[in-house]
Amino acid sequence: MSSAEWHARIESAGEVAGAGFLITPRKVLTCAHVVHRAAADTLTVTFTERPGAPAVPARVVADGGWGGSATDLGDLAVLELAHEVPVAPAALAPVGDAHAHRSDRPRKLVVYGFPVGFDEGTLAEYRITATQLLNREWIQLEAWQPGGQPLAPGFSGAAVTLADTGEVVGMVTAAAGDRGVHNGRMMPVEVMARYWPDLAGLVPTADHRTADRARLRELVERAVREGLDDDPGAPARRVRLYEAARGPLDPDAPDEGFDSLWSAALFVLCEVDGADAAATVARFTAHVESMFQASVETAAAPDWSPILVDLQHSGAGDGHVRVEVSAYSGGRRHPVGSDTVPQAGLRAYVQDRIEAAFRYLTPGCDELIAFALPRDWIDLPVDRWASAPDDDTPLGCVYPLVVTDQARRRASVRHQLTRAWNRLDSAPGARVHRVECGGPEEPRRLRIRLRQDDACLAGFAGAPGVPRTRPHFDTSLNAPAPMVVWSREGCVGGPDEPCAGGDGCAGKTFLDELDTCLSRVPPAELPRRVLALREEADAEDGHWAHDIQLLWDDPRVFTDPHGGPPAHTHSPVA
């Protein structure tokens, strides 16, 4: 209850008329008898749990048809505020939760009202007398204990909440009326929804666990507070969040999408039911968490100490590879090993030299494994190589691992990339420029787009070898884009049957998930975030990031300002 800022005091011409509660960012519910005598333009709403916040003008936009008598039905009014307020709306409980008994005791209910002498508000503790609906309209309330705060004028319109969760089960509509009698009536949420149908979409189903509802609500509140739902890409992202979370039997997202992250979360809680409802909520919650992955990390941006593995065509035939391994630490490059090895022994050689390279790194530093590859090898699944002879855990699931392109080793390209990374240091996230399957933009236009100041990350729906996207991939590397991401098993539609990039396209799914997971991650953090995705994918069959490849190219990480040994002949970054 301490954080329930949605409790409202209803005023008419400056006088307290009753209570209410915020149900959407701009709607407040109260009793019709609280506002029926208020003159036009005199209604205001104050959120007393926000000290100093000004009263907000309001008007009645809907009611339950109340006739004016204490026994008349439909004592409900909906107020619309003059503007949205920065307050998280009340959470409704599933129908029937007020009736649930635990350990043979009724559930404690709490009411927050404004009786005479308590303009700042006061609490009353109640419970229901029985589950029976009186006149199909009300549930009787009785005091939790003798001598407690009785219901009185000023409590009308107050939310009746579960003491343990803070969720709303109904609204106070009447007190007993007799001195010394501590009971009253509430209109339960299912009856309120009968009079105002819009409320039905805010009542969660009983198939979701209380803890799951609370966790999702907490995350959504935090995301809204931190401004993670107010960027131009938010409407499309909300739909992708739901589509990525929903099970095969869950309803489709509404055609009009979701007007806020709140509405998307409420759709999950209120429209998804059945045996798999909890799993859908868990997946949606995980996706919301990914929106502010960077925000919950308190550590400073990594000070990368890379180990560079340089693989090149040997010139000694297809069966051999030229390998050079270096470690970078303290502003110096430390040569570790250089040889021409047969392909059959390549992985073992790399394992051994990476292990040796760690001896040159500062203990506890942010290690980074970088593979410099010829462009025709850029799709090599080096992240799936075993991390050690006696450990088959993929290398990319143990360390942050990226690839770089040897064709970008020219000083002019390094200069351009350094300038781009100096700009990206202040970027709040790695915004994805999508290169879609269906009708990708002309390569020359893509080059212009990637050379603009707000360019950051090029995301590809197809792998580099797909003929229709190969020119676009080359353009991204030549631009040069600081970061490029793709899936080695992305869309593979052929030239005779080009993919339109619609629903069911593996490339579209990859880009949708990529945008959701990376758009809020600072560019410097990207290798660490991709490491986490690879770990998730390794533990889950069919995970969208199973074959993710990250080209991440910050020349400043590979500098050698203090001199030191000469660079390897073939090093693309030294």
Side-chain angles (χ1 to χ4, degrees):
M1 298 293 290
S2 62
S3 63
E5 296 180 337
W6 44 262
H7 288 296
R9 186 177 68 205
I10 313 300
E11 297 135 357
S12 175
E15 299 293 328
V16 176
F21 54 101
L22 189 73
I23 198 66
T24 75
R26 202 175 170 184
K27 295 289 197 305
V28 171
L29 298 184
T30 187
C31 290
H33 77 259
V34 168
V35 298
H36 81 291
R37 291 182 179 175
D41 301 325
T42 66
L43 277 177
T44 58
V45 174
T46 298
F47 296 94
T48 57
E49 291 299 293
R50 293 175 59 86
V56 183
R59 64 188 182 97
V60 178
V61 294
D63 62 58
W66 181 66
S69 168
T71 58
D72 285 342
L73 307 182
D75 192 4
L76 172 75
V78 183
L79 308 186
E80 182 178 74
L81 303 177
H83 55 78
E84 290 189 3
V85 291
V87 174
L92 302 184
V95 173
D97 265 25
H99 310 156
H101 288 58
R102 296 178 178 177
S103 303
D104 298 323
R105 287 175 57 84
R107 299 189 73 170
K108 182 185 290 186
L109 306 176
V110 178
V111 183
Y112 186 105
F114 305 92
V116 174
F118 293 94
D119 285 357
E120 77 284 3
T122 190
L123 299 174
E125 296 179 339
Y126 276 76
R127 60 187 174 191
I128 67 170
T129 303
T131 60
Q132 179 183 348
L133 270 180
L134 303 176
N135 204 16
R136 300 185 64 249
E137 183 87 356
W138 307 289
I139 288 179
Q140 183 167 307
L141 299 174
E142 61 182 34
W144 181 257
Q145 58 186 7
Q149 167 68 48
L151 296 179
F155 278 100
S156 293
V160 181
T161 65
L162 297 170
D164 53 349
T165 70
E167 294 177 314
V168 176
V169 295
M171 178 181 71
V172 175
T173 56
D178 293 330
R179 187 177 183 85
V181 178
H182 290 210
N183 64 21
R185 291 177 176 175
M186 79 168 183
M187 182 185 293
V189 291
E190 61 269 29
V191 175
M192 297 166 67
R194 184 196 310 159
Y195 293 115
W196 188 47
D198 288 359
L199 192 65
L202 306 177
V203 181
T205 72
D207 297 296
H208 303 298
R209 295 186 291 263
T210 300
D212 294 342
R213 297 197 304 270
R215 175 60 175 161
L216 177 55
R217 182 177 178 81
E218 173 191 351
L219 288 172
V220 171
E221 287 181 6
R222 181 173 183 180
V224 172
R225 283 197 309 270
E226 296 182 8
L228 304 187
D229 191 44
D230 56 8
D231 60 278
R237 184 172 60 248
R238 296 168 199 143
V239 174
R240 291 197 297 270
L241 282 171
Y242 174 69
E243 291 297 336
R246 76 183 185 97
L249 300 180
D250 294 338
D252 293 334
D255 292 340
E256 67 275 15
F258 304 107
D259 59 9
S260 68
L261 189 58
W262 284 115
S263 63
L266 285 168
F267 189 87
V268 172
L269 294 175
C270 303
E271 302 296 333
V272 175
D273 55 14
D276 296 330
T280 300
V281 169
R283 288 190 293 267
F284 188 83
T285 300
H287 290 314
V288 173
E289 284 182 304
S290 71
M291 288 177 57
F292 53 93
Q293 180 70 26
S295 300
V296 300
E297 293 180 357
T298 58
D303 184 13
W304 296 116
S305 290
I307 295 172
L308 178 66
V309 181
D310 187 350
L311 305 183
Q312 296 198 32
H313 299 286
S314 69
D318 293 339
H320 291 76
V321 179
R322 177 68 179 172
V323 187
E324 296 178 336
V325 179
S326 304
Y328 289 77
S329 180
R332 299 178 66 87
R333 183 188 58 79
H334 306 275
V336 176
S338 176
D339 205 349
T340 299
V341 300
Q343 287 187 352
L346 176 60
R347 298 189 185 189
Y349 182 89
V350 169
Q351 289 171 350
D352 179 71
R353 296 308 184 272
I354 287 178
E355 183 64 30
F358 272 94
R359 295 198 298 266
Y360 296 96
L361 302 187
T362 302
C365 69
D366 294 302
E367 73 279 357
L368 174 73
I369 309 297
F371 278 78
L373 304 171
R375 191 165 296 188
D376 59 338
W377 288 359
I378 204 70
D379 210 26
L380 199 66
V382 290
D383 60 291
R384 304 300 303 172
W385 291 5
S387 58
D390 56 352
D391 183 359
D392 62 359
T393 304
L395 192 62
C397 294
V398 178
Y399 309 110
L401 186 149
V402 302
V403 299
T404 64
D405 174 34
Q406 290 173 350
R408 307 208 298 185
R409 65 186 178 182
R410 299 190 307 274
S412 58
V413 178
R414 310 313 288 168
H415 179 81
Q416 293 178 69
L417 283 170
T418 299
R419 185 173 59 212
W421 276 98
N422 288 338
R423 170 178 50 80
L424 291 177
D425 283 341
S426 60
R431 192 182 59 79
V432 179
H433 180 78
R434 299 164 65 102
V435 182
E436 308 272 6
C437 294
E441 59 190 310
E442 203 272 338
R444 289 176 296 177
R445 290 186 177 275
L446 176 62
R447 182 180 68 249
I448 294 172
R449 181 68 190 87
L450 292 176
R451 291 175 68 89
Q452 294 177 356
D453 285 346
D454 63 342
C456 184
L457 171 67
F460 278 78
V466 176
R468 69 180 180 281
T469 57
R470 182 71 202 205
H472 301 80
F473 187 80
D474 289 340
T475 295
S476 297
L477 297 188
N478 294 336
M483 296 169 286
V484 185
V485 179
W486 66 95
S487 171
R488 292 187 297 268
E489 292 188 359
C491 182
V492 293
D496 297 332
E497 297 182 3
C499 177
D503 292 340
C505 168
K508 179 181 182 300
T509 299
F510 177 81
L511 289 181
D512 289 348
E513 296 282 2
L514 192 72
D515 186 47
T516 299
C517 290
L518 301 188
S519 62
R520 294 288 176 175
V521 180
E525 298 273 2
L526 209 58
R528 195 149 58 189
R529 179 61 179 133
V530 170
L531 166 64
L533 288 173
R534 284 171 173 152
E535 289 179 300
E536 292 176 17
D538 191 55
E540 179 183 333
D541 291 341
H543 194 285
W544 66 272
H546 180 75
D547 285 292
I548 191 170
Q549 191 87 319
L550 170 64
L551 186 146
W552 185 92
D553 201 353
D554 183 354
R556 303 169 304 174
V557 170
F558 301 94
T559 56
D560 189 6
H562 304 300
H568 286 208
T569 303
H570 301 289
S571 172
V573 293

